[in-house]
Amino acid sequence: MVIILKENPDPNQLENLLSWIKEQHVTPHITHGLHQTILGLVGDTAKIDIELLGQMEIVEAVRRVQEPFKNANRKFHPLDTIINVNGSKIGGNSMTVIAGPCSVESEEQIITVARSVKESGAKLLRGGAFKPRTSPYAFQGLRDEGIRLLLEAKKDTGLPIVTEIMDLSQLELFADVDVIQVGARNMQNFELLKQLGHSDKPILLKRGLANTYQELLMSAEYIMAFGNDNVILCERGVRTFETYTRNTQDISAIPALKTLSHLPVIIDPSHAAGVARFVPPLSLAAVAAGADGLIIEVHNNPACAKCDGMQSLTMPEFRILMKKIKVMTDARELCSSITE
Amino acid sequence: MVIILKENPDPNQLENLLSWIKEQHVTPHITHGLHQTILGLVGDTAKIDIELLGQMEIVEAVRRVQEPFKNANRKFHPLDTIINVNGSKIGGNSMTVIAGPCSVESEEQIITVARSVKESGAKLLRGGAFKPRTSPYAFQGLRDEGIRLLLEAKKDTGLPIVTEIMDLSQLELFADVDVIQVGARNMQNFELLKQLGHSDKPILLKRGLANTYQELLMSAEYIMAFGNDNVILCERGVRTFETYTRNTQDISAIPALKTLSHLPVIIDPSHAAGVARFVPPLSLAAVAAGADGLIIEVHNNPACAKCDGMQSLTMPEFRILMKKIKVMTDARELCSSITE
Amino acid sequence: MVIILKENPDPNQLENLLSWIKEQHVTPHITHGLHQTILGLVGDTAKIDIELLGQMEIVEAVRRVQEPFKNANRKFHPLDTIINVNGSKIGGNSMTVIAGPCSVESEEQIITVARSVKESGAKLLRGGAFKPRTSPYAFQGLRDEGIRLLLEAKKDTGLPIVTEIMDLSQLELFADVDVIQVGARNMQNFELLKQLGHSDKPILLKRGLANTYQELLMSAEYIMAFGNDNVILCERGVRTFETYTRNTQDISAIPALKTLSHLPVIIDPSHAAGVARFVPPLSLAAVAAGADGLIIEVHNNPACAKCDGMQSLTMPEFRILMKKIKVMTDARELCSSITE
Amino acid sequence: MVIILKENPDPNQLENLLSWIKEQHVTPHITHGLHQTILGLVGDTAKIDIELLGQMEIVEAVRRVQEPFKNANRKFHPLDTIINVNGSKIGGNSMTVIAGPCSVESEEQIITVARSVKESGAKLLRGGAFKPRTSPYAFQGLRDEGIRLLLEAKKDTGLPIVTEIMDLSQLELFADVDVIQVGARNMQNFELLKQLGHSDKPILLKRGLANTYQELLMSAEYIMAFGNDNVILCERGVRTFETYTRNTQDISAIPALKTLSHLPVIIDPSHAAGVARFVPPLSLAAVAAGADGLIIEVHNNPACAKCDGMQSLTMPEFRILMKKIKVMTDARELCSSITE
C-alpha cells in the first residue's frame, strides 16, 4: 500500500499517521519528493481500512499494491481449489456442465429436463424456485414447492441440485440443496453472504452486472472470512451499452479471475446472451478460454417457459451442444500440452 | 405494446397468439407489412409478461409503448405525491434536507451532530446503524445499538430519523424509525421490497449504481403493489468510467423521474461526489434542477469518521451550505414564476 | 418502423404526417388504441430520418423494426462476404491471422518480426506508422518512414500489410498498403469514412470502445454507401467498469455481427486484454466462437517496444499460439459438422 | 510516480531501470518491502511514458501521483484562464451563453435565430455547417455554404460565431470563424488537435461520450503543447445505461474540471438531455454548479429542423430560459459571498 501525502504535511499529523500505521502491524517507509511525500507500507495490508486512511487530512491519495482480499487470493493459495459436490469435482481444469430450466414449473417438467440433461452429460441440475424478477407482476417462482420438486428430480436422477436463495429467511429450505446460488443482484447482500459463510455448502456466487473482479472477490471473501471456503465464482455477463444481447459475456474474466484467485470459475452463457442461438458459440468460447464449468438453461418447451424461454436451449439442442463441448474440451487439453 | 412478428408467421401459431392476447384483456390490432406483420395491443398492458411474449416462436420483437409500472406512474396519478414524516412534508416543490453522519459511532457523536444539523435547518436526521461495506474487514456499523442511539438523538432533538435496513430479519428493530432506507445495493432485493410493501412507513429507495429509471420505478412498484404508497426516490450517483469522483451524479434524474412518476425525488450528493468539496456545488445544482430534497453526510470530525469521512461535511461547512441552499431555493421559486 | 402518436393527435398534423410518409415511398398502416394511435410503416425504411420523425409535434416515439443499415445487412445479402487480399481470403469460416508489432520502429525490427510471424503462419503483417496516442508527449510513430519500412517488409516476405490511417491527408501515402485500418477513435470520423468509400482497398474498421454493433455497422455503411464493399469488421474490446484488463473483449460480437451482417469479423485480443498473458486464451475463445480472423501484436523485444509492449507476444510465444489456434480451428470445424 | 517492482527483481534489470529513470531527469527513491520493492520518482514526471515503464520485465505496476498533463494543469497555472472572443470573456466566474440552431439551414433561418438569441442575451452564435451524423443517409449539413451563411449572420448581428470542424482539410474555410468547435467524436482525432494547436483561435473542445476528465485534459494538452492556450472545455453528456435521456449530463464535471484545470468549462445541456423540456432544468443546474457558460440549441421552428429538433428550444422558450439563467446567476453570486 502506498500513501501519497499532501504538500508540506503538518509534522504532528504525520507523526500521528505513523503511529496509527504501526498499530496496524505494518511498517512505513518514507520517500520525500519535491512536491510530495510518499509512504510505502510493508506487511499484511489486507485488513487496513483504505477509506479511513484516505480521509485523513494530510493524505492526498492511497493506492493499493496488494489486493484487499486474502482468503480468495491466489498469491496465498497457489493451488487451484477443487470443490467436491457429491462426487462431481468443480475446478482444476475439469469441465463441469450444470443444466436445467430457468424455473421449476411442475414435477413433470423438472424430471423430464433432469433426465434429459443427465443423459446428455450434465453433472448437476439447475432450476429456479425463488425467482428475482424486475416486475412484481411477473412469475415469482414456485418457491417452497419448487425446492421440493427439485429434490424429487435429484432423487429420480441422482443429479446434485443448484438453486438460488433470495433471502436469509429461506435458508432452512435449502438444507438438502447441494449448491446454493447467490444471484447477481444479491452479490453485495452482505448479511446473506455472512450467513452463508457459516454454512459448509458450496456457494455459486454470481458476479453483479456492473461489478468488478475485485468486488466479486471481496464478496467471496465475505463468505470465506466467516469460514466457508467452498465458493464457485460465476461470470454471467456484464451490462454494457450494447442492447442487442441481454448482457455482454466477459470472456477475460476466466483468465483474470484464475490469475487473481484459486477459486473455480464457471460461465453462464444463457444470461449473458439472452437468446438461445448465441449460447453455443459463447459456451465453446468459454471452454476454449479455460472455464471450469458452464451453467446452461435447458427447457423441455422453451416457447412456453414461464421465464427466460428466449435464452433456453431445447433438450436436443443441449445434447448437440454437449458433443461440441466435448470436442472443444479435448482440443483445450491438447492445446495445454503444446509448450514449444 | 407493439409485437413484431417474424416473416410469414405460421397461421396456427398466430391464432394461438391472438387467443392468448385476448385472455390478457387487451385487444390486438394487426398491420400486415411487406416483410413484417405488426400487432398493436390496446388496453392495460402493464401486467403483460414481455419476456413470455418475446420467446414465442413467431415473435421477432416486442416493444413497449406504455411503461410497465402503474402505481408509480404519473400518467395515472398526475398530482405530486407528498409524504408526511412527522410533520415534515417531502414532495410538491418543497425542499427538505436530511443530514447526519454516515455511521452512528457513539451517543455523543450522534447527538452532537443531530443538534447541529437541526440548528442549521435540517428537517430529518440520517445515520447508518447497519453498514453495507465492500470488505468484510471494514467497520460494519453499531447495528442494534446504532438504532438505539438514533432513537436517543430523535428524543433529544425531535428530528425524525432515516436509517438503512440491510435484511428482512432486522425489520422489527425499525419499529420506531421514521423513514426506512433501502440502499443502492438492495434496490433489487425483491423479498425485502415486498415486505416493506406491507409496512406503512415511508421508504427511501436508492437507485442502484447501474440501474435505469425504469428499473428504479419497477422497484418502487414492488413496494406499492403490496400496499405501501410512501416511496421516496433517491438518486445517489451512477457508476461511469470516470473515477475522479466516486460516482457520477445524474442530475437529469430529477426532471426525468418527476416526468415519469408522481413520487418525490431527493438527491444524495455525498455518495455521488465521494469528496466533501464537491458536495456544495452538487447540492446547489440539485436544488436548481428541482429536487424535492437532499440527503447530506455531516460529521463532527470527518477526519476520524469510521466510514465515508472523505465525503462528509463538517458541521460549520453544513451550516454555510444550508444558507446557500436557502438562496438557491428562493431563486428556484422566482424562476418558476417566470412564464414569459 | 413503428410511430407512436401522442394522445388525441391534431387531425391536420396527422394528415401532414401521412403525406410526408407517402413521399418517402413507404406505406403507413394505422392502429387506433384507447390511449394511443400507432402507425406501422411498410416498405424500405432504411433511408427515413428517424430524428426528423421523432421531433414532429404529434409523435410520441419512433421504434425501428428494420435495421437502419442496408449494404451491410445480412437480410439483403445472405451470403458471407469474402475479401481477397493478395490471395488471402478473409471471411467465410476460414481463419486468417494478422500479426506484427504495434509500431514500426526500424527496418531491422519490422523485417525480423515479419519473417518470424510469416514462418509461424500469419497471412498478413500489421504495424503502426501513424500512432494515435492519448498523450502528446508519447511516441507518435515513424509516420511516412514507417509506411516505407512496412513496404520493405512486404517486399522481403511477400506478406500483405495492414496499417492505420489517422487523417485524410495521409491517404496518398497508403497507395501500396494492402488493407487500411481505421482505428477505434476514428470509427465515427465520417469525412474519413466517406473518402475511404471512394477507394477500392479493403478497410479494417475497428469498433469504438463505447459504440454499439449498430453504430459500427452504420460506419461500415458509410464506406459501402460511397462504393467500397470491402469492409472487415474488427472487435477490439469495449470499455467497461473493469480496469484489471485494458478493455473487455466482447466475444458475443462474433455471432451477433455475423447474424446482423455478411461482413467478415476479426478479433483483436491484444488491445482487448492489454497484457500479453491473456492474449492466448482470448485468441482461442475467439476461434471457438467463430471469428474469421485475429489481429495479434508480436514484437521481437516487447520489453523495449516503443508502445504497447505489455500486450505484445514474443515471437516464440506467437509460434506456440499459432499451433494452438490450428488445433482450435480444427476443433471448430469438427463441431460445425455435429448436427445431431 | 510510483513504480511497484515484481518480487525479487533481477539486480541487473534494476540497475538498468535506475539508469533509465535518471536519463528522464527525475530521481528514484527506493523502498524495500517484504514482498515488494517500490520506487518513488521525484521531479517532472509528466513526460515519462507510463506504458513503456509498465512493460519492463521487472515492473509489476506503475501508479501516477501527478497528472500527466501540464499546460492544462491548475497546479502549474493557479489562476483561471479567461478567453476573449471579440470582447466576450469566457471563464473566471462569468456566465456566457452561446445559442443557435443545430444546423444552418438557410440565410433566413440563421439570421432570424441569430437576431432573436442576441435580443434574449446570448453572446455568441452557434450553428453547424459540417454535421457528423451516424447515418450516411441523414442530412450532412450545408458545409461551405453553411459557413458563408454563419458569416452573414455575424455581419448582421455582430455576434461572434462558433461552428464545428470535422476534418483538417476544412481548416481554411474557418479563417473568419471566431471559435472552432471540436466535436465529441473527434475529441481524440489527434492530427486535428495538433493542427489546431498551431492556430491562435479559441477551440471549444467537447468531451467524448465515454472519455474521462483526464482524457479530455490530455486532448486539451495536445492543442496547448503545440502553442494554442485558448481552449474551452465542454461537457455535453456521457453515455450511461440510461436511455430515457440521450446522454447523461455529468454535473460533477464542472467542479472537477475546474479543480484539475484553469481552463473555462461550459455545458451543453441540449445534447445531454436530447429533449427540449429537460434543457431548462439542466441549464439552471449547470449555472448553480459554477459553469462558465452554456451552449444551447435554439431553432425558429424545431418541428421542421433538419436535425436535433427534438432537443431544440423555440425562440420564446429560450427568451424565458435566459431570464431564469439571470436569476440563477445572481443567486450563485450571492451564494459565493456566503462564507460563514
Side-chain angles (χ1 to χ4, degrees):
Chain A
M1 188 175 284
V2 176
I3 304 172
I4 299 119
L5 302 183
K6 290 192 183 137
E7 269 190 84
N8 307 319
D10 175 82
N12 285 337
Q13 292 191 338
L14 180 53
E15 200 159 309
N16 286 342
L17 174 58
L18 292 173
S19 322
W20 184 87
I21 287 169
K22 281 165 197 161
E23 284 166 23
Q24 313 299 314
H25 307 292
V26 294
T27 314
H29 289 245
I30 308 195
T31 299
H32 289 288
L34 202 64
H35 293 288
Q36 255 137 344
T37 300
I38 293 170
L39 299 181
L41 304 196
V42 174
D44 174 12
T45 59
K47 295 188 180 178
I48 289 188
D49 192 334
I50 195 168
E51 282 187 25
L52 240 170
L53 259 177
Q55 70 211 21
M56 291 182 186
E57 207 174 319
I58 59 166
V59 172
E60 166 120 0
V62 186
R63 306 284 153 89
R64 273 199 184 279
V65 175
Q66 277 187 320
E67 296 83 11
F69 46 91
K70 208 170 161 175
N71 291 289
N73 199 327
R74 190 178 282 275
K75 277 192 194 141
F76 306 116
H77 305 75
L79 295 183
D80 283 354
T81 283
I82 296 174
I83 293 175
N84 192 324
V85 184
N86 287 8
S88 281
K89 286 175 180 163
I90 303 180
N93 295 315
S94 54
M95 169 46 57
T96 306
V97 179
I98 305 169
C102 179
S103 301
V104 182
E105 294 168 23
S106 70
E107 181 162 345
E108 197 202 332
Q109 174 240 21
I110 189 67
I111 287 184
T112 305
V113 177
R115 287 180 184 168
S116 173
V117 299
K118 184 186 182 182
E119 206 190 306
S120 297
K123 292 294 180 213
L124 290 93
L125 175 67
R126 61 148 290 152
F130 297 94
K131 298 298 307 171
R133 304 300 300 277
T134 307
S135 168
Y137 309 122
F139 175 62
Q140 307 274 318
L142 293 184
R143 304 176 67 91
D144 311 27
E145 174 66 4
I147 302 279
R148 198 186 63 74
L149 297 180
L150 278 168
L151 294 173
E152 289 297 323
K154 176 183 176 179
K155 203 183 299 174
D156 186 272
T157 58
L159 290 179
I161 58 176
V162 184
T163 192
E164 179 170 352
I165 193 167
M166 280 178 65
D167 188 78
L168 266 183
S169 59
Q170 298 155 357
L171 193 54
E172 62 187 84
L173 289 166
F174 284 68
D176 298 318
V177 164
D178 301 280
V179 177
I180 302 180
Q181 177 179 315
V182 175
R185 292 181 185 83
N186 272 322
M187 191 199 89
Q188 295 193 319
N189 183 333
F190 301 120
E191 297 295 310
L192 180 60
L193 299 179
K194 281 181 200 175
Q195 212 58 45
L196 296 176
H198 293 120
S199 159
D200 60 353
K201 282 191 192 299
I203 309 299
L204 180 72
L205 178 65
K206 290 197 164 186
R207 179 183 178 192
L209 53 69
N211 289 109
T212 60
Y213 303 152
Q214 183 171 304
E215 286 169 339
L216 172 62
L217 291 168
M218 289 308 287
S219 287
E221 189 79 9
Y222 255 95
I223 300 169
M224 299 172 89
F226 287 81
N228 184 353
D229 285 338
N230 299 308
V231 180
I232 303 162
L233 304 172
C234 180
E235 161 64 35
R236 43 76 78 204
V238 291
R239 189 167 266 191
T240 64
F241 302 135
E242 185 54 62
T243 56
Y244 185 71
T245 49
R246 180 170 176 174
N247 292 290
T248 295
Q249 179 165 314
D250 177 4
I251 198 81
S252 319
I254 301 168
L257 290 171
K258 290 176 88 70
T259 300
L260 290 165
S261 177
H262 51 93
L263 297 171
V265 177
I266 72 167
I267 293 287
D268 174 350
S270 306
H271 282 87
V275 282
R277 74 176 175 283
F278 293 159
V279 170
L282 295 190
S283 298
L284 300 180
V287 175
D292 294 306
L294 290 162
I295 178 163
I296 297 176
E297 289 191 1
V298 178
H299 198 278
N300 52 332
N301 186 358
C304 298
K306 290 220 171 148
C307 84
D308 285 350
M310 247 165 75
Q311 70 196 36
S312 293
L313 297 185
T314 62
M315 299 186 299
E317 285 167 348
F318 179 68
R319 189 162 38 82
I320 295 172
L321 176 56
M322 284 300 286
K323 291 182 187 169
K324 296 183 179 183
I325 288 172
K326 177 75 178 63
V327 169
M328 206 48 85
T329 308
D330 290 347
R332 169 172 104 175
E333 263 171 53
L334 185 49
C335 281
S336 69
S337 70
I338 299 174
T339 55
E340 66 171 340
Chain B
M1 188 175 283
V2 177
I3 304 171
I4 298 119
L5 301 184
K6 289 194 183 134
E7 269 191 81
N8 307 318
D10 174 83
N12 286 338
Q13 292 192 336
L14 180 53
E15 200 159 311
N16 286 343
L17 174 58
L18 292 173
S19 324
W20 184 87
I21 287 170
K22 281 167 197 159
E23 284 166 23
Q24 313 300 312
H25 307 294
V26 294
T27 314
H29 289 244
I30 308 196
T31 300
H32 289 287
L34 201 64
H35 292 288
Q36 255 136 345
T37 299
I38 294 170
L39 298 180
L41 304 196
V42 173
D44 174 13
T45 59
K47 297 187 179 178
I48 288 187
D49 191 333
I50 196 168
E51 282 188 24
L52 239 169
L53 259 179
Q55 70 211 21
M56 291 184 186
E57 207 174 319
I58 60 166
V59 172
E60 167 118 0
V62 185
R63 305 284 154 89
R64 275 203 183 276
V65 175
Q66 280 186 317
E67 295 84 9
F69 47 90
K70 207 170 162 174
N71 291 289
N73 199 326
R74 190 179 281 276
K75 277 193 193 140
F76 306 117
H77 305 75
L79 295 182
D80 282 355
T81 283
I82 295 174
I83 293 175
N84 192 324
V85 184
N86 286 9
S88 281
K89 286 176 180 163
I90 303 180
N93 296 316
S94 54
M95 167 49 55
T96 306
V97 178
I98 305 169
C102 179
S103 301
V104 182
E105 292 168 24
S106 70
E107 182 163 343
E108 197 202 331
Q109 174 240 21
I110 190 68
I111 287 183
T112 306
V113 177
R115 288 181 185 167
S116 172
V117 298
K118 184 184 181 184
E119 205 190 306
S120 297
K123 293 293 180 214
L124 291 92
L125 175 68
R126 62 148 291 151
F130 297 96
K131 299 298 307 170
R133 304 299 301 276
T134 306
S135 167
Y137 309 123
F139 173 62
Q140 308 273 318
L142 293 184
R143 305 177 67 90
D144 312 27
E145 174 66 2
I147 301 279
R148 197 185 64 73
L149 296 179
L150 278 169
L151 293 173
E152 289 297 324
K154 177 183 174 180
K155 205 182 298 173
D156 186 271
T157 58
L159 289 179
I161 58 175
V162 184
T163 192
E164 179 170 354
I165 192 167
M166 279 179 66
D167 187 78
L168 266 182
S169 59
Q170 298 155 356
L171 193 53
E172 62 187 87
L173 288 166
F174 283 67
D176 297 318
V177 165
D178 300 281
V179 178
I180 302 179
Q181 177 179 315
V182 175
R185 293 181 185 83
N186 271 323
M187 191 198 91
Q188 294 194 318
N189 183 335
F190 300 120
E191 297 295 310
L192 180 60
L193 298 179
K194 281 182 201 175
Q195 213 57 43
L196 295 177
H198 292 120
S199 160
D200 60 354
K201 280 190 193 300
I203 308 300
L204 181 71
L205 178 65
K206 289 198 163 185
R207 180 183 177 191
L209 54 67
N211 288 109
T212 61
Y213 302 152
Q214 183 170 303
E215 287 168 340
L216 172 61
L217 291 169
M218 289 309 287
S219 287
E221 189 79 8
Y222 255 95
I223 299 170
M224 298 172 91
F226 286 82
N228 184 352
D229 285 338
N230 299 309
V231 180
I232 302 162
L233 305 172
C234 179
E235 161 65 34
R236 42 76 76 205
V238 292
R239 188 166 268 191
T240 64
F241 302 135
E242 185 53 63
T243 54
Y244 186 70
T245 49
R246 181 170 175 174
N247 293 291
T248 296
Q249 179 166 313
D250 177 5
I251 197 83
S252 319
I254 301 168
L257 290 172
K258 291 177 88 69
T259 300
L260 290 165
S261 177
H262 51 92
L263 296 171
V265 177
I266 72 168
I267 294 287
D268 173 350
S270 305
H271 283 87
V275 282
R277 75 176 174 281
F278 294 159
V279 171
L282 295 189
S283 298
L284 300 181
V287 175
D292 294 306
L294 291 162
I295 179 163
I296 297 176
E297 289 190 1
V298 179
H299 198 279
N300 53 331
N301 186 357
C304 298
K306 291 221 170 146
C307 82
D308 284 350
M310 247 165 76
Q311 69 197 35
S312 294
L313 298 185
T314 62
M315 298 185 300
E317 285 167 349
F318 178 68
R319 189 162 39 82
I320 295 172
L321 176 56
M322 284 300 286
K323 291 182 187 168
K324 296 183 179 183
I325 289 172
K326 177 75 178 62
V327 169
M328 208 45 90
T329 307
D330 290 347
R332 168 173 106 176
E333 261 169 55
L334 183 51
C335 282
S336 70
S337 69
I338 299 174
T339 55
E340 64 171 341
Chain C
M1 188 176 283
V2 176
I3 304 171
I4 298 120
L5 301 184
K6 291 195 182 134
E7 269 190 82
N8 308 317
D10 174 81
N12 284 338
Q13 292 192 338
L14 180 54
E15 201 158 310
N16 286 342
L17 174 58
L18 292 173
S19 323
W20 184 86
I21 287 169
K22 280 167 196 159
E23 283 166 22
Q24 313 300 313
H25 308 293
V26 295
T27 313
H29 290 245
I30 308 196
T31 299
H32 289 287
L34 202 63
H35 292 288
Q36 254 135 346
T37 300
I38 293 169
L39 298 182
L41 303 197
V42 174
D44 174 12
T45 59
K47 296 188 181 178
I48 288 187
D49 191 334
I50 195 167
E51 282 187 25
L52 239 170
L53 259 178
Q55 70 212 22
M56 292 184 186
E57 207 175 319
I58 60 167
V59 172
E60 167 119 0
V62 186
R63 307 284 154 90
R64 274 202 184 278
V65 174
Q66 278 186 319
E67 295 85 9
F69 47 91
K70 208 170 161 177
N71 292 288
N73 199 325
R74 190 179 281 275
K75 277 191 193 141
F76 307 116
H77 304 76
L79 296 183
D80 282 355
T81 283
I82 297 174
I83 292 174
N84 193 324
V85 184
N86 287 7
S88 281
K89 286 176 180 163
I90 303 180
N93 296 316
S94 54
M95 168 48 56
T96 306
V97 179
I98 305 169
C102 179
S103 302
V104 182
E105 294 167 23
S106 70
E107 181 162 344
E108 197 202 332
Q109 174 241 22
I110 190 68
I111 287 183
T112 305
V113 177
R115 287 180 185 167
S116 173
V117 299
K118 184 185 182 182
E119 204 189 309
S120 297
K123 292 294 180 215
L124 290 92
L125 175 67
R126 62 148 290 152
F130 297 95
K131 299 298 307 171
R133 305 300 300 276
T134 306
S135 167
Y137 310 121
F139 173 62
Q140 308 273 319
L142 293 184
R143 304 178 67 90
D144 311 27
E145 173 67 3
I147 301 278
R148 198 186 63 75
L149 296 179
L150 278 168
L151 293 172
E152 289 297 322
K154 176 182 176 181
K155 205 184 297 174
D156 185 90
T157 59
L159 290 178
I161 57 175
V162 184
T163 193
E164 179 170 353
I165 192 167
M166 279 178 66
D167 187 78
L168 266 182
S169 58
Q170 297 154 356
L171 193 54
E172 64 186 84
L173 288 166
F174 283 67
D176 298 318
V177 165
D178 300 281
V179 178
I180 302 179
Q181 177 179 317
V182 175
R185 293 181 185 83
N186 272 321
M187 191 198 90
Q188 294 194 319
N189 184 334
F190 300 120
E191 298 296 310
L192 180 60
L193 298 178
K194 282 181 200 174
Q195 212 58 43
L196 296 176
H198 292 120
S199 160
D200 60 352
K201 281 192 193 298
I203 308 299
L204 181 71
L205 178 65
K206 289 198 163 186
R207 179 183 178 192
L209 53 69
N211 288 109
T212 61
Y213 302 153
Q214 183 171 304
E215 287 168 339
L216 172 61
L217 291 168
M218 288 309 288
S219 287
E221 189 79 9
Y222 255 94
I223 299 170
M224 298 171 91
F226 286 82
N228 184 353
D229 285 339
N230 299 310
V231 180
I232 302 163
L233 304 172
C234 178
E235 161 65 34
R236 43 75 78 205
V238 292
R239 188 167 268 193
T240 65
F241 302 135
E242 186 54 63
T243 55
Y244 186 69
T245 49
R246 180 170 176 175
N247 293 291
T248 296
Q249 179 166 313
D250 177 5
I251 197 82
S252 319
I254 301 168
L257 290 172
K258 290 176 87 69
T259 300
L260 290 166
S261 178
H262 50 93
L263 297 172
V265 177
I266 73 167
I267 293 287
D268 173 350
S270 306
H271 283 87
V275 282
R277 74 176 176 284
F278 294 159
V279 171
L282 295 189
S283 299
L284 300 180
V287 174
D292 294 306
L294 290 162
I295 178 163
I296 297 176
E297 290 191 1
V298 179
H299 198 278
N300 52 332
N301 186 358
C304 297
K306 290 221 171 148
C307 84
D308 284 350
M310 248 167 73
Q311 70 196 36
S312 293
L313 298 185
T314 62
M315 298 186 300
E317 285 167 347
F318 179 69
R319 189 162 39 81
I320 294 171
L321 176 56
M322 284 301 285
K323 291 181 186 169
K324 296 183 179 183
I325 288 172
K326 177 75 178 64
V327 169
M328 208 46 88
T329 307
D330 290 347
R332 168 173 106 176
E333 262 169 54
L334 184 49
C335 282
S336 69
S337 71
I338 299 174
T339 55
E340 64 171 339
Chain D
M1 187 175 283
V2 176
I3 304 173
I4 298 118
L5 300 184
K6 290 193 183 135
E7 269 190 83
N8 307 317
D10 175 82
N12 285 337
Q13 292 191 338
L14 180 54
E15 199 159 313
N16 287 341
L17 175 57
L18 292 173
S19 323
W20 183 87
I21 287 169
K22 281 166 198 161
E23 283 165 25
Q24 313 300 312
H25 307 292
V26 294
T27 314
H29 289 243
I30 308 195
T31 300
H32 289 287
L34 202 64
H35 292 288
Q36 255 137 344
T37 301
I38 293 171
L39 298 182
L41 302 197
V42 174
D44 173 14
T45 59
K47 296 189 180 178
I48 288 188
D49 191 334
I50 194 167
E51 282 187 24
L52 240 169
L53 259 178
Q55 70 211 19
M56 291 185 187
E57 207 174 319
I58 59 166
V59 172
E60 166 121 358
V62 186
R63 307 283 153 91
R64 272 201 185 278
V65 175
Q66 278 186 319
E67 296 84 10
F69 47 92
K70 210 170 160 175
N71 291 289
N73 199 327
R74 190 179 282 275
K75 277 191 193 143
F76 306 116
H77 306 74
L79 295 183
D80 283 354
T81 283
I82 296 174
I83 293 175
N84 192 323
V85 184
N86 286 9
S88 281
K89 285 177 181 164
I90 303 180
N93 295 317
S94 54
M95 167 48 55
T96 306
V97 179
I98 305 169
C102 180
S103 302
V104 182
E105 294 168 23
S106 70
E107 182 163 344
E108 197 201 333
Q109 175 241 20
I110 190 68
I111 288 184
T112 305
V113 177
R115 288 180 184 169
S116 172
V117 299
K118 184 184 180 184
E119 205 190 307
S120 297
K123 292 295 179 213
L124 290 92
L125 175 67
R126 60 148 291 153
F130 297 95
K131 299 298 307 170
R133 305 300 300 277
T134 307
S135 168
Y137 309 122
F139 174 62
Q140 308 274 318
L142 293 184
R143 304 176 68 89
D144 311 27
E145 174 67 3
I147 301 279
R148 198 186 63 73
L149 297 179
L150 278 169
L151 293 173
E152 289 296 325
K154 177 183 174 180
K155 204 182 301 173
D156 186 272
T157 57
L159 290 179
I161 58 176
V162 184
T163 193
E164 179 170 353
I165 192 167
M166 280 178 66
D167 188 78
L168 266 183
S169 59
Q170 298 155 358
L171 193 53
E172 60 186 85
L173 289 166
F174 283 68
D176 298 318
V177 165
D178 301 280
V179 178
I180 302 180
Q181 176 178 316
V182 175
R185 293 181 184 83
N186 271 322
M187 191 198 89
Q188 294 192 320
N189 184 334
F190 301 119
E191 297 295 310
L192 180 59
L193 299 179
K194 280 181 202 175
Q195 213 57 46
L196 295 176
H198 292 121
S199 161
D200 60 354
K201 281 189 193 298
I203 308 299
L204 180 72
L205 178 65
K206 290 198 162 186
R207 179 183 178 192
L209 52 69
N211 288 108
T212 60
Y213 302 152
Q214 183 170 303
E215 286 169 340
L216 172 61
L217 291 168
M218 289 309 288
S219 287
E221 189 79 8
Y222 255 95
I223 299 170
M224 298 172 90
F226 286 83
N228 184 353
D229 285 338
N230 299 308
V231 180
I232 303 162
L233 305 172
C234 179
E235 161 65 35
R236 43 76 76 205
V238 292
R239 188 166 267 191
T240 65
F241 301 136
E242 185 54 63
T243 55
Y244 185 70
T245 48
R246 181 169 175 175
N247 292 290
T248 295
Q249 178 166 315
D250 177 4
I251 197 80
S252 320
I254 301 168
L257 290 172
K258 290 176 88 70
T259 300
L260 290 165
S261 178
H262 51 93
L263 297 172
V265 177
I266 72 167
I267 293 287
D268 174 350
S270 306
H271 282 87
V275 282
R277 73 176 176 284
F278 294 158
V279 170
L282 296 189
S283 299
L284 300 181
V287 175
D292 294 306
L294 291 161
I295 178 164
I296 298 176
E297 289 191 0
V298 179
H299 198 278
N300 52 332
N301 185 359
C304 297
K306 289 220 171 149
C307 83
D308 284 350
M310 248 166 74
Q311 70 196 36
S312 293
L313 298 185
T314 61
M315 298 184 301
E317 285 166 349
F318 178 69
R319 190 163 37 84
I320 295 171
L321 176 56
M322 285 300 286
K323 292 181 188 171
K324 297 183 178 183
I325 288 171
K326 177 75 177 64
V327 168
M328 208 46 88
T329 307
D330 290 347
R332 169 172 106 176
E333 263 169 55
L334 184 49
C335 282
S336 69
S337 70
I338 300 174
T339 55
E340 63 171 340

